[in-house]
Amino acid sequence: MDLAFLTRRPIAHRGYHDIGAGRVENTLSAFRAAIDRDFAIECDLQLTADGEAVVFHDFTLDRLTTGSGRVDALPLAAVQAVAFKAAPDERIPTLRQMLDLVAGRVPLVIEIKSEFRRPADLRLVARAVEVLKGYAGPFACMSFDPEMVAALGRLAPGFVRGIVADDATDPDHYGDLGALERFALRHILHAPRTRPHFVSYAIRHLPAPGPTLLRKVFGRPLICWTVRTAEQRAKAARETDQITFEGFDADVPA
C-alpha cells in the first residue's frame, strides 16, 4: 500500500483556516485556501439525524454557528440552514460536497468523530465508506476510537486507515473510560486488532512509546497534531514524518 501521500506535504488542520479573514475551520473556503497552497487537508466528520456525513468538528453547533444543539439531533436540511458566525454565507458541507470541491487535487486526512459509545455506533463509518468508495483522489480515514478504525478495516479493507491518539487524560474526551482503556489508547495497544496503517499523535505528548514503536519497528508513518509554534515544529521534525498545523504558513521557515 502506497502511503507516500500522507507525508508529501504539510497537513492543514481543518483546512487552511483563518477566522479573522472569514475562513472558518472545516468550510469550503478553508479547503480552497489549502488547495491553493498545495497543502493536504485534515477534516472532521459528524453524522446528521437522517444519516448524512457532514464536515464539522464539534458535536454541537454552538461554538461556530448561529445555531445550537447537537449535530446528530438535526436532519441535513436543518444543519445546512445554519450560518457560521464569522462567515454568514458559508454552510456546513457534506462529505460529498467537500470531495467534489477537492477532486483529488490534494490529499485528505479524514477524522471520523466518536464519543466512545459502547456498543459502538458505526453509522458514520458506514456512510463515510459509502461516499468515499466513489472518490478517486488520495485520502485516509482515522479516528480516536479503535472501534471506528476496526470497522473501517472490515467495511473497506482497501482504505488507508489510522489511529489518532494522545495521552488519553482529558476528562472532557475520555472521562467515561476506565484507566485500563485509557492506558491502551495512550500506548496504542489495540494495534494488533485495528492494524492501523499510520498514527496521528499529539505533538505535545511526543515522544511516546506506542507511536515510536510503530514508526521505527513496523514502519508506520507518524504524523502529528496540532503544530502551532516554532518549538513544536522543531520537535515534529525530530519525532515525526509530517505535521498537521494551523495558525501559520507551513511553507514559511520558522
Side-chain angles (χ1 to χ4, degrees):
M1 181 175 287
D2 185 3
L3 304 178
F5 74 90
L6 275 172
T7 58
R8 183 183 68 85
R9 291 284 288 148
I11 305 162
H13 187 233
R14 306 178 194 172
Y16 192 65
H17 60 90
D18 180 350
I19 202 162
R23 297 198 309 271
V24 182
E25 63 184 58
N26 276 322
T27 60
L28 297 184
S29 62
F31 301 147
R32 289 189 191 98
I35 294 166
D36 288 345
R37 291 160 177 79
D38 191 33
F39 290 134
I41 294 169
E42 187 269 350
C43 63
D44 306 278
L45 296 186
Q46 297 280 3
L47 192 71
T48 64
D50 49 354
E52 189 54 83
V54 294
V55 185
F56 197 70
H57 175 271
D58 296 358
F59 292 102
T60 65
L61 296 166
D62 303 66
R63 178 174 65 95
L64 291 173
T65 80
T66 57
S68 63
R70 290 184 61 92
V71 175
D72 62 7
L74 297 171
L76 176 63
V79 169
Q80 292 199 310
V82 172
F84 285 92
K85 296 173 185 175
D89 293 333
E90 288 267 16
R91 293 296 184 269
I92 296 171
T94 64
L95 173 58
R96 193 178 300 280
Q97 287 170 331
M98 183 194 67
L99 296 179
D100 288 344
L101 170 71
V102 177
R105 289 178 286 176
V106 297
L108 295 171
V109 183
I110 302 166
E111 182 184 340
I112 296 172
K113 303 302 289 186
S114 169
E115 294 178 286
F116 295 97
R117 294 173 181 168
R118 298 294 183 264
D121 183 347
L122 302 179
R123 291 176 298 156
L124 180 55
V125 176
R127 180 56 182 160
V129 167
E130 183 179 18
V131 176
L132 285 162
K133 278 185 174 177
Y135 186 65
F139 71 90
C141 294
M142 62 183 184
S143 181
F144 279 90
D145 189 340
E147 298 307 316
M148 304 297 117
V149 182
L152 282 166
R154 294 192 301 271
L155 296 173
F159 283 15
V160 176
R161 62 185 181 273
I163 190 72
V164 195
D166 58 13
D167 71 351
T169 60
D170 183 349
D172 291 333
H173 196 180
Y174 301 104
D176 293 335
L177 302 181
L180 285 177
E181 189 167 2
R182 286 186 279 111
F183 182 86
L185 292 172
R186 179 183 312 128
H187 296 292
I188 320 179
L189 299 183
H190 53 77
R193 177 172 66 91
T194 56
R195 303 177 66 84
H197 299 118
F198 70 98
V199 177
S200 179
Y201 211 86
I203 184 62
R204 65 188 183 279
H205 298 142
L206 287 172
T212 299
L213 177 70
L214 286 168
R215 182 190 187 207
K216 292 188 174 180
V217 177
F218 295 98
R220 300 292 190 265
L222 174 59
I223 61 179
C224 64
W225 59 275
T226 300
V227 171
R228 298 182 175 93
T229 68
E231 291 78 13
Q232 289 175 337
R233 292 180 77 177
K235 184 180 183 181
R238 296 190 304 269
E239 303 290 344
T240 78
D241 300 301
Q242 190 52 271
I243 62 171
T244 306
F245 74 96
E246 71 175 25
F248 63 93
D249 186 335
D251 283 336
V252 177

